[in-house]
Amino acid sequence: MTTTTGPCPAERTAQMRVGFVGAGKIGFALGLHLFRSGANISGYVSRSSAGAQWAAQCTNSVSFSSLQALLDSTDLIFITVPDGAIAQVADEVAAAAANGLAGKIVCHASGSATSDELAACRAASAACASVHPLCAVPDVPHVTGDLTEDKVHSGAANGHATQTAPEALPDRMTSTFFTLEGDRHAVDAAAFLLDAAGNDHCAIQAADKVRYHAAAVFVSNLVCGLTAEGLGLLEGCGFTASQALQAVKPLFAGNAAAIAERGPQNALSGPIERNDMQTVRRHLAALDGQALQTYATLSLSVCDLAEARHPDRDYQPMRTLLESARIQ
């Protein structure tokens, strides 16, 4: 194993040791966040030795040469690999534990998969959980060359390691909300770490995990698709792509800020909220294909918000108009 150096809070004491199998985006960002919050990071093992060394450098921990070495020095193991590889890596972790995993906690960070992906570790007596950060995780500043401390700290132009010094890297998870699911002991241990780090969190049931992840897609990935539809309509009106994006920035950012501050119901404005049938009818007439179907379907959800906000208004004619557009 390779011992590395890096910044470390002076108050670090004997705590639950946290290690990572996988030094990609999630593993790097979560390890850095927990380290900055005072957690005792034991280190990383990864198929990319350079990635494990860089993550260890940034968390004052160890780049382990094997799973067995990591297990010997770790109490809580995060498997931070792509979703499709979690079960396989869990098998490898269980196989590497010659005497089983009793007393160990094993977690993964997938948004859609449940702790059942860790079945092999659970069978080896580990407590298991999924611990998902509800955020977009940035790429890791990868190292492609020698990871000497001088090069990492100086960003030497004549070396390959030109990253920002570890202590200057931003913590991208300071305000991230986490969702937990799994065995009670594992969930409690993860909650303890997150409480110490200042992160809010919620525990859900395994049966709700996929719907939870779909909800996250609604407010993140699908927003990209919806925005692309709107930008395409502007380009059809004569805007260039750059003009369209520039034009919507204040509208998009203002709406997002209002939703984040007041919630979607209180942030709602526009023709459906006003119950403006004439304008909505014109919109429907001007659209076709996928844009028409998207407009009509999402507008029905907007009707729900409008009715809750204005229970004295009759939105049924608006609903009828929108439903008729959906079946065209």
Side-chain angles (χ1 to χ4, degrees):
M1 68 184 73
T2 302
T3 302
T4 61
T5 60
C8 180
E11 71 274 14
R12 220 167 285 279
T13 57
Q15 304 166 359
M16 179 168 53
R17 300 165 299 173
V18 181
F20 293 82
V21 182
K25 294 196 297 184
I26 292 286
F28 183 92
L30 182 56
L32 182 66
H33 173 61
L34 294 177
F35 170 72
R36 293 274 180 83
S37 304
N40 183 4
I41 306 300
S42 59
Y44 288 79
V45 64
S46 175
R47 289 175 181 169
S48 166
S49 59
Q53 289 172 36
W54 174 236
Q57 179 106 24
C58 294
T59 56
N60 194 35
S61 64
V62 172
S63 173
F64 291 102
S65 60
S66 68
L67 278 174
Q68 182 63 63
L70 180 138
L71 292 174
D72 289 344
S73 302
T74 303
D75 303 305
L76 190 157
I77 302 101
F78 275 104
I79 295 178
T80 48
V81 299
D83 287 8
I86 292 173
Q88 177 186 339
V89 174
D91 288 344
E92 294 171 4
V93 169
N99 298 315
L101 292 168
K104 303 284 188 185
I105 298 165
V106 181
C107 303
H108 69 67
S110 168
S112 60
T114 71
S115 59
D116 289 344
E117 293 294 304
L118 305 172
C121 295
R122 188 173 276 140
S125 300
C128 298
S130 61
V131 180
H132 181 242
L134 195 55
C135 67
V137 182
D139 289 335
V140 177
H142 286 295
V143 173
T144 58
D146 182 27
L147 249 183
T148 62
E149 184 176 359
D150 288 344
K151 284 183 180 177
V152 172
H153 279 260
S154 67
N158 59 352
H160 293 290
T162 59
Q163 281 76 3
T164 304
E167 60 269 22
L169 292 172
D171 180 352
R172 303 292 191 183
M173 291 188 174
T174 53
S175 60
T176 297
F177 194 101
F178 284 75
T179 304
L180 316 177
E181 169 275 321
D183 302 331
R184 178 64 181 272
H185 178 57
V187 168
D188 286 349
F192 175 82
L193 281 176
L194 295 172
D195 287 341
N199 295 94
D200 291 328
H201 50 82
C202 175
I204 65 173
Q205 298 299 312
D208 295 322
K209 193 71 188 290
V210 175
R211 285 174 60 84
Y212 153 79
H213 193 247
V217 168
F218 263 101
V219 299
S220 57
N221 312 135
L222 294 186
V223 173
C224 294
L226 183 61
T227 303
E229 287 275 11
L231 293 174
L233 290 171
L234 288 178
E235 290 177 39
C237 295
F239 285 67
T240 65
S242 61
Q243 286 174 332
L245 186 58
Q246 179 184 0
V248 304
K249 279 182 182 178
L251 181 63
F252 182 92
N255 194 49
I259 292 171
E261 181 180 351
R262 304 196 298 273
Q265 180 176 309
N266 291 324
L268 183 64
S269 63
I272 293 176
E273 187 268 339
R274 298 192 302 269
N275 212 3
D276 183 349
M277 293 278 292
Q278 183 178 20
T279 296
V280 172
R281 189 175 287 110
R282 287 173 176 169
H283 288 173
L284 295 172
L287 301 172
D288 57 18
Q290 180 173 287
L292 174 61
Q293 295 302 310
T294 300
Y295 183 101
T297 299
L298 292 182
S299 292
L300 285 168
S301 294
V302 173
C303 271
D304 292 338
L305 294 173
E307 286 178 329
R309 185 171 177 180
H310 303 291
D312 56 319
R313 297 180 185 175
D314 181 12
Y315 285 93
Q316 188 53 49
M318 180 72 78
R319 285 187 175 280
T320 300
L321 175 64
L322 294 167
E323 287 166 353
S324 65
R326 290 179 66 197
I327 61 176
Q328 288 183 8

